[in-house]
Amino acid sequence: MPAAAVHSLVSSPSAAAQSFTVDEHAAVIAAIDRCADAVVESWDAASVTDGAAVVGPLRACLAEHGVLDALTAVLADAVEAAGYTLRATPVAAPPYVVVTSRGPVCRATVADGRLLLRFRAFELTDENEYVRGRSGDAMLDVDLV
């Protein structure tokens, strides 16, 4: 039985997708971490107030290291692990893969709604400053909405 099928048998669709992604795509998660760290290192301070100082450099780093393209496979695998099928082949562009000021977001429309994979590499503080957020497996939130 494929690993994705095993994950989908043991939990909710979003939990199955999250577990599978963490188990099978650790290299992509690590690459997102490295890119997020590189973005922070490019800043003159520990935080920035302009989301463009996150999005542009993060997108460039992810593209340079092949992560945007890899996220299409991550999304396809997560959808399968959740027990769904994609209606179309995802591409490394909206609506499937988007780089936001919080990090990459992958989304797919499935039979029960929309499966979202959010890599929360950055956070917005109460002072409206972007700072480095979670890292590693803790960065990933998967929801079926």
Side-chain angles (χ1 to χ4, degrees), residues 32-121:
I32 294 169
D33 255 342
R34 288 190 299 274
C35 284
D37 289 342
V39 168
V40 171
E41 289 172 12
S42 73
W43 297 341
D44 292 334
S47 64
V48 294
T49 56
D50 184 4
V54 176
V55 174
L58 182 59
R59 181 189 329 268
C61 186
L62 294 170
E64 177 183 340
H65 295 284
V67 179
L68 291 178
D69 289 330
L71 284 171
T72 61
V74 170
L75 179 59
D77 287 350
V79 167
E80 181 181 339
Y84 299 106
T85 57
L86 284 169
R87 297 178 184 176
T89 302
V91 296
Y96 299 101
V97 177
V98 178
V99 179
T100 73
S101 59
R102 305 276 176 107
V105 176
C106 302
R107 47 190 178 199
T109 301
V110 297
D112 295 326
R114 180 168 265 191
L115 188 68
L116 298 175
L117 285 76
R118 296 182 190 114
F119 297 88
R120 298 182 185 272

